[in-house]
C-alpha cells in the first residue's frame, strides 16, 4: 500500500475515534492521535497477514473461557488465519482497543456497524480489549504481560518451525514495568528475532507526562543495553515507520521507538496538556468545539 | 516406613519421555526443584527463564496457546505471591494448560517466611479455572503428573521434594480422597505432609478407644467428594482438619464451607498455622512450635471428646506402609 493510502487509513482512525469520544462524552482519544500512523502502517504495509476470517459484525459476548465453554470466541480472526508463514499481531496497551477497532474498519476487516457495539453491555467490542475483542488475541489488560506472552508464542512457533513474525504494539509507559525488562532480557537470551515491537512513545501516562511520573529514558540506550536492536523514528512519518520495520536485526528482537504527539491531527486537544490519558468532555462548550473540529477536519460524522 | 529421595526428578524424566508436548520451565532453581536431570536428558525441551517469574508465567501462557504444555517449576512463593497477576491474566483467565509446580509448601523449608508458602492454596482457590493438587508421599509425587495432565486448564501442584515417605501404593485420583481408617467418633481430614504426621497419632488414639475416620485429600479444588461428605456427617464428636498452611482459606476453610453449605452442624477444629508467618527452622521444630504436630492432634481430639487421654510423645509411632494398607483393606471388607 502506498503512503497516501496509509495516510487515509490514519485519518479515518482519528475521525472514528473522535466521533465516539464525542458520542460517549469521553474516550481514549489521544491514543488515536499518537498511534494512528503506527496502526495504519502495520495493517496497510508491514504485517504479512491474510484477510479476516472473523464475522464482519462481531458476535455478542458468550462467556469467559473455561473448560465448560468451548465455544469461546477469540478476536484473532480479524487478523486473518493463523498460518506458520504468516505474521501475528498483538496489541499490548488494550485501552487502545477503539483505535484498533477503527483500524479494522478502515482496512475492511470489520464493518462499521461493529463499532456501534463499542463499550455497550453484552458485546465483545469492549472499551478495554480482552482476547474476545476484535483484533485481539491475548488477555493483555494488565500492562506489561503481552510481551512475555508473545515471547512464549515466539518460542513455541520456533519449536514448530514456523517462520511468521510476531508484531507487538506497546506504549512507552510499559517501560516503567519490571516485567517488560524481564521479557527483553529473555528475548535476548534466546536470540529471538521473530519478535518486533513498535512503541507508541507519546510520552504520556495516566498521571500526565511520563517524565513527571518516572524515568524511562534514554529508551534506545536502555533497549540496546538489554541486547535488542532499537531504532528511533518519527511515529507520524509513514515512510520512516516502514523503513524502521525493515531494520536488520539478526538474532535480536527489534524495537522501533516511534516518537509521537498525543494531539497529532486533533490539535485542539493541545490545550489539555499535560493530561491526555483519557479525554473526558465535561461541558457543552468542549463538545461543540470537538464537533466543530470534526466537521472542519473530517467533514462531520456523516461520511 | 521407606523414605525416598528426589522422586520427582527421576519420575518426570521417565514420564515425559513419550510426551514431546511437555516443556519444562525453570526460574534459576533447576536443581532445587528437581529438574536438573530433565535438563540434561532433554535439553531441547528445557527453558531457563532466570529469576523472571512474572515473565515466565506469561510466557508459559503464550506457549500453552500454541499447543505445548509448560511445566513451570520454582518455589511456590515466587509464583502465587510474586506472579499472581500473571497467573491470573496470562494463564487462568484463558484456561490454558499450564502445570505450575510450587515447591516448599508451608513449613517444609528452613528458609523462613520469604520461602514458606503458607497461603498458596487459599489464594489460588479463589482463582477461577484453577485446579489445585497437593502431594503427600512419593506415590502421589509420581502419579500427580497423570492427574494434572488429564485436566483441560491450569493446574497448581503443591509439590514435595528431597526425602519423602512412601505411604501409599495406589496412585492419586482426581477429586478422590483416601480413606485411611474408618470410625464414628471423630472425622480427621489431612493433606500433604500432615497425613504422615497424623498417622503417628491415629494408631494410639484407636488403641485408646477413639474411633477415627481418617481421610487424606490430594485435590483441594474442586473440593469435596462423597467420602468426605459422609465422613463429616457421621462424626459423633466433630471434625478435625490438619494442614501445612494457614487455617484461613485452605483445607480447614474448604471443610467448613462444605459443612455450612450442607447444614452439617458439627464442631470443627482446624490445625494449621494460626494466621501467622513462620520463621526459619527444621520441619520438626516448626511443626512443634506452631502446633502442627501429632501431639496437637491428640489435644484436638481431647478437646472434642471432652476427655483427657493418657498419651505421651513417646507413644507416637512412625507410620508403616503395610499397616496403612492393612487398615485400608480391613475396612474395605
Amino acid at each position: 500500500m502506498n503512503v497516501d493510502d496509509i495516510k487515509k487509513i490514519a485519518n479515518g482512525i482519528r475521525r472514528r475515534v473522535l466521533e465516539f469520544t464525542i458520542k460517549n462524552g469521553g474516550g481514549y482519544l489521544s491514543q488515536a492521535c499518537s498511534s494512528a500512523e503506527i496502526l495504519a502502517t502495520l495493517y496497510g504495509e508491514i504485517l504479512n497477514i491474510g484477510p479476516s476470517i472473523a464475522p464482519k459484525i462481531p458476535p455478542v459476548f458468550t462467556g469467559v473461557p473455561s473448560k465448560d465453554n468451548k465455544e469461546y470466541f477469540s478476536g484473532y480472526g480479524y487478523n486473518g488465519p493463523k498460518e506458520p508463514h504468516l505474521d501475528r499481531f498483538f496489541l499490548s496497551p488494550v485501552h487502545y482497543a477503539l483505535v484498533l477497532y477503527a483500524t479494522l474498519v478502515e482496512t475492511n476487516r470489520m464493518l462499521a456497524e461493529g463499532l456501534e457495539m463499542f463499550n455497550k453491555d453484552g458485546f465483545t467490542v469492549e472499551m478495554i480489549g480482552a482476547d474476545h475483542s476484535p483484533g485481539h488475541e491475548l488477555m493483555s489488560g494488565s500492562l506489561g504481560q503481552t510481551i512475555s506472552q508473545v515471547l512464549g508464542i515466539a518460542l513455541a512457533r520456533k519449536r514448530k518451525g514456523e517462520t511468521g513474525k510476531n508484531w507487538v504494539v506497546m506504549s512507552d509507559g510499559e517501560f516503567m514495568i519490571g516485567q517488560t525488562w524481564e521479557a527483553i532480557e529473555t528475548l535476548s537470551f534466546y536470540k529471538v528475532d521473530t519478535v518486533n515491537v513498535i512503541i507508541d512513545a507519546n510520552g504520556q501516562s495516566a498521571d500526565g507526562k511520563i517524565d513527571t511520573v518516572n524515568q524511562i529514558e534514554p529508551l534506545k540506550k536502555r533497549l540496546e543495553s538489554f541486547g535488542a536492536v532499537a531504532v528511533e523514528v518519527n511515529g507520524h512519518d509513514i515512510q520512516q515507520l516502514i523503513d524502521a520495520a525493515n531494520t536488520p536485526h539478526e538474532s535480536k528482537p527489534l524495537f522501533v521507538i516511534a516518537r509521537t504527539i498525543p494531539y497529532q491531527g486533533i490539535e485542539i486537544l493541545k490545550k489539555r496538556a499535560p493530561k491526555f490519558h483519557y479525554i473526558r468532555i465535561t461541558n457543552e462548550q468542549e463538545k461543540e468545539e470537538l464537533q466543530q473540529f470534526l466537521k472542519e477536519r473530517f467533514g462531520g460524522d456523516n461520511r | 516406613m521407606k523414605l525416598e529421595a528426589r522422586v520427582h526428578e527421576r519420575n518426570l524424566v521417565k514420564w515425559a519421555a513419550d510426551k514431546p508436548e511437555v516443556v519444562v520451565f525453570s526460574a534459576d532453581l533447576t536443581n532445587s526443584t528437581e529438574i536438573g536431570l530433565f535438563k540434561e536428558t532433554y535439553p531441547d525441551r528445557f527453558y531457563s527463564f532466570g529469576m523472571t517469574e512474572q515473565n515466565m508465567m506469561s510466557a508459559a501462557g503464550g506457549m500453552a496457546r500454541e499447543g505445548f504444555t509448560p511445566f513451570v517449576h520454582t518455589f511456590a512463593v515466587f509464583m502465587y505471591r510474586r506472579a499472581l497477576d500473571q497467573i491470573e491474566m496470562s494463564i487462568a483467565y484463558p484456561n490454558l494448560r499450564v502445570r505450575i509446580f510450587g515447591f516448599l509448601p508451608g513449613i517444609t523449608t528452613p528458609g523462613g517466611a520469604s520461602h514458606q508458602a503458607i497461603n498458596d492454596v487459599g489464594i489460588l482457590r479463589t482463582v477461577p479455572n484453577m485446579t489445585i493438587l497437593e502431594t503427600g508421599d512419593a506415590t502421589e509425587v509420581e502419579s500427580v503428573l497423570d492427574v494434572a495432565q488429564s485436566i483441560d486448564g491450569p493446574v497448581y501442584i503443591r509439590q514435595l521434594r528431597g526425602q519423602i515417605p512412601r505411604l501409599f501404593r495406589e496412585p492419586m485420583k482426581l477429586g478422590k480422597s483416601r480413606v485411611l481408617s474408618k470410625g464414628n467418633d471423630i472425622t480427621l481430614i489431612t493433606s500433604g505432609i500432615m497425613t504422615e504426621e497424623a498417622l503417628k497419632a491415629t494408631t494410639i488414639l484407636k488403641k485408646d478407644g477413639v474411633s477415627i475416620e481418617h481421610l487424606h485429600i490430594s485435590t483441594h479444588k474442586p473440593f469435596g467428594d462423597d467420602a468426605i461428605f459422609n465422613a463429616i456427617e457421621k462424626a459423633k464428636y466433630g471434625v478435625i482438619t490438619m494442614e501445612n498452611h494457614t487455617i484461613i482459606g485452605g483445607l480447614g476453610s474448604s471443610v467448613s464451607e462444605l459443612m455450612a453449605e450442607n447444614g452439617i452442624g458439627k464442631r470443627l477444629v482446624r490445625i494449621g498455622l494460626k494466621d501467622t508467618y513462620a520463621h526459619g527452622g527444621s520441619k520438626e521444630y516448626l511443626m512443634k512450635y506452631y502446633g502442627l504436630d501429632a501431639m496437637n492432634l491428640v489435644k484436638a481430639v481431647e478437646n472434642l471428646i471432652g476427655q483427657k487421654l493418657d498419651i505421651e510423645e513417646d507413644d507416637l509411632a512412625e507410620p508403616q506402609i503395610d499397616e496403612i494398607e492393612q487398615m485400608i483393606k480391613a475396612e474395605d471388607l
Side-chain angles (χ1 to χ4, degrees):
Chain A
M1 207 178 264
N2 68 42
V3 168
D4 284 340
D5 289 337
I6 294 171
K7 252 183 206 159
K8 273 185 205 143
I9 296 172
N11 275 333
I13 293 169
R14 287 196 179 89
R15 180 176 58 77
R16 289 184 188 279
V17 176
L18 177 56
E19 276 172 25
F20 270 85
T21 304
I22 295 169
K23 205 163 96 179
N24 292 2
Y28 291 110
L29 180 57
S30 78
Q31 288 78 358
C33 292
S34 61
S35 69
E37 280 79 17
I38 295 172
L39 280 157
T41 308
L42 272 164
Y43 276 83
E45 180 65 27
I46 297 171
L47 294 176
N48 177 27
I49 55 176
S52 168
I53 54 162
K56 284 278 183 189
I57 296 176
V60 297
F61 175 65
T62 54
V64 296
S66 76
K67 64 178 167 49
D68 303 319
N69 186 13
K70 293 296 171 212
E71 300 311 307
Y72 180 74
F73 179 77
S74 167
Y76 80 84
Y78 290 91
N79 297 333
K82 285 183 188 172
E83 296 284 349
H85 67 287
L86 291 177
D87 291 357
R88 300 262 284 275
F89 173 69
F90 306 92
L91 176 66
S92 184
V94 277
H95 54 288
Y96 282 53
L98 181 55
V99 191
L100 177 54
Y101 304 146
T103 309
L104 295 177
V105 173
E106 291 295 321
T107 54
N108 300 316
R109 291 175 177 273
M110 187 172 101
L111 285 177
E113 283 89 326
L115 281 182
E116 298 298 324
M117 302 170 174
F118 174 69
N119 202 13
K120 291 239 170 74
D121 291 346
F123 293 100
T124 53
V125 192
E126 292 181 18
M127 180 177 77
I128 308 269
D131 57 3
H132 49 236
S133 302
H136 295 64
E137 177 170 340
L138 300 179
M139 194 60 191
S140 305
S142 194
L143 292 175
Q145 291 195 28
T146 298
I147 186 170
S148 297
Q149 294 183 73
V150 175
L151 158 70
I153 287 169
L155 291 173
R157 294 189 78 187
K158 193 178 167 194
R159 286 192 75 78
K160 295 192 275 187
E162 299 193 1
T163 52
K165 293 190 172 73
N166 309 288
W167 293 87
V168 188
V169 163
M170 290 181 73
S171 58
D172 49 357
E174 290 180 278
F175 290 79
M176 297 185 214
I177 299 169
Q179 182 176 2
T180 298
W181 297 101
E182 292 183 1
I184 298 167
E185 65 198 28
T186 310
L187 286 164
S188 294
F189 178 72
Y190 282 108
K191 300 183 168 43
V192 176
D193 55 11
T194 52
V195 170
N196 301 334
V197 178
I198 301 184
I199 306 164
D200 177 17
N202 59 17
Q204 296 297 316
S205 91
D207 266 7
K209 284 188 75 185
I210 286 181
D211 59 16
T212 68
V213 176
N214 210 332
Q215 176 61 278
I216 63 163
E217 299 290 350
L219 201 47
K220 186 171 185 293
K221 270 193 184 160
R222 288 189 182 190
L223 286 162
E224 285 167 347
S225 72
F226 268 65
V229 168
V231 286
E232 213 158 352
V233 299
N234 173 352
H236 300 298
D237 185 315
I238 290 160
Q239 194 55 53
Q240 281 191 30
L241 285 167
I242 294 170
D243 293 344
N246 289 319
T247 307
H249 57 104
E250 200 191 327
S251 304
K252 289 178 174 191
L254 172 67
F255 286 77
V256 177
I257 305 162
R259 297 288 177 190
T260 60
I261 298 164
Y263 47 83
Q264 175 82 15
I266 305 181
E267 289 76 10
I268 55 165
L269 293 178
K270 187 176 179 179
K271 62 185 176 195
R272 290 180 180 247
K275 296 199 101 178
F276 293 102
H277 181 66
Y278 185 91
I279 302 298
R280 195 178 299 284
I281 303 170
T282 52
N283 57 56
E284 271 307 305
Q285 194 201 330
E286 278 175 352
K287 191 174 173 180
E288 274 167 31
E289 266 180 26
L290 286 169
Q291 262 164 342
Q292 190 61 30
F293 184 88
L294 178 67
K295 206 170 161 189
E296 282 168 15
R297 176 65 57 92
F298 301 110
D301 52 14
N302 299 313
R303 286 167 294 148
Chain B
M1 186 185 53
K2 203 175 150 203
L3 283 177
E4 297 194 29
R6 300 182 80 82
V7 178
H8 181 59
E9 170 140 77
R10 284 176 280 121
N11 181 59
L12 179 63
V13 167
K14 201 170 74 185
W15 180 87
D18 60 350
K19 297 176 184 69
E21 71 280 11
V22 170
V23 289
V24 169
F25 284 23
S26 173
D28 200 30
L29 286 169
T30 299
N31 283 318
S32 305
T33 58
E34 301 191 354
I35 46 177
L37 192 60
F38 187 97
K39 181 187 178 184
E40 273 174 41
T41 315
Y42 315 112
D44 177 55
R45 284 159 63 189
F46 177 88
Y47 288 90
S48 162
F49 278 87
M51 287 173 268
T52 74
E53 292 82 6
Q54 301 175 348
N55 171 53
M56 176 171 72
M57 284 300 172
S58 292
M63 203 170 255
R65 282 176 182 270
E66 295 299 306
F68 295 98
T69 311
F71 277 41
V72 182
H73 286 69
T74 186
F75 295 159
V77 285
F78 304 138
M79 304 208 202
Y80 82 97
R81 287 208 304 236
R82 180 167 289 217
L84 182 62
D85 187 22
Q86 287 75 12
I87 289 175
E88 295 220 33
M89 289 300 102
S90 296
I91 296 171
Y93 175 86
N95 194 43
L96 295 168
R97 293 172 61 86
V98 176
R99 315 320 183 192
I100 302 168
F101 289 81
F103 287 80
L104 311 187
I107 48 73
T108 58
T109 166
S114 65
H115 285 60
Q116 293 161 339
I118 62 160
N119 54 345
D120 50 339
V121 176
I123 300 277
L124 294 173
R125 217 157 60 86
T126 66
V127 173
N129 288 334
M130 185 66 75
T131 296
I132 304 174
L133 307 172
E134 178 168 14
T135 58
D137 85 327
T139 298
E140 293 200 330
V141 167
E142 287 160 359
S143 49
V144 73
L145 304 184
D146 278 330
V147 176
Q149 202 60 349
S150 73
I151 292 161
D152 189 19
V155 183
Y156 173 67
I157 298 142
R158 209 172 193 233
Q159 184 71 313
L160 296 174
R161 66 168 198 178
Q163 296 267 343
I164 49 177
R166 190 176 290 280
L167 299 174
F168 313 123
R169 292 214 172 97
E170 289 294 311
M172 177 193 287
K173 288 197 182 78
L174 180 66
K176 199 129 178 62
S177 53
R178 296 174 191 271
V179 182
L180 301 182
S181 71
K182 300 284 267 183
N184 298 314
D185 290 339
I186 302 273
T187 288
L188 169 65
I189 304 172
T190 62
S191 60
I193 62 163
M194 303 308 284
T195 298
E196 182 195 350
E197 191 64 22
L199 286 168
K200 292 177 185 170
T202 47
T203 313
I204 181 76
L205 281 164
K206 280 190 147 188
K207 276 184 196 149
D208 271 27
V210 185
S211 107
I212 293 183
E213 178 106 347
H214 181 193
L215 279 77
H216 167 82
I217 73 106
S218 45
T219 307
H220 285 282
K221 191 185 168 195
F223 184 78
D225 58 9
D226 288 349
I228 298 174
F229 181 79
N230 294 336
I232 292 172
E233 208 167 33
K234 74 174 182 183
K236 187 173 160 194
Y237 295 104
V239 181
I240 299 169
T241 56
M242 278 180 94
E243 60 195 306
N244 172 28
H245 185 274
T246 164
I247 57 168
I248 300 170
L251 177 63
S253 291
S254 292
V255 169
S256 62
E257 287 164 15
L258 195 71
M259 290 168 75
E261 282 182 345
N262 290 283
I264 306 175
K266 296 263 163 79
R267 288 185 63 199
L268 169 69
V269 179
R270 291 176 294 166
I271 294 175
L273 292 167
K274 303 283 193 293
D275 195 22
T276 179
Y277 289 106
H279 81 129
S282 71
K283 186 172 105 177
E284 292 68 30
Y285 158 78
L286 292 170
M287 282 183 118
K288 188 166 280 187
Y289 187 87
Y290 289 103
L292 306 176
D293 64 347
M295 280 310 288
N296 272 280
L297 172 58
V298 173
K299 278 185 211 155
V301 170
E302 289 175 338
N303 172 357
L304 284 182
I305 63 173
Q307 184 192 326
K308 192 97 180 72
L309 299 166
D310 190 23
I311 296 174
E312 301 292 331
E313 189 101 41
D314 290 346
D315 300 326
L316 303 175
E318 284 296 316
Q320 301 297 320
I321 187 164
D322 291 327
E323 281 178 22
I324 296 164
E325 291 286 320
Q326 271 168 18
M327 266 195 291
I328 298 168
K329 273 192 190 134
E331 299 299 342
D332 279 346
L333 293 171

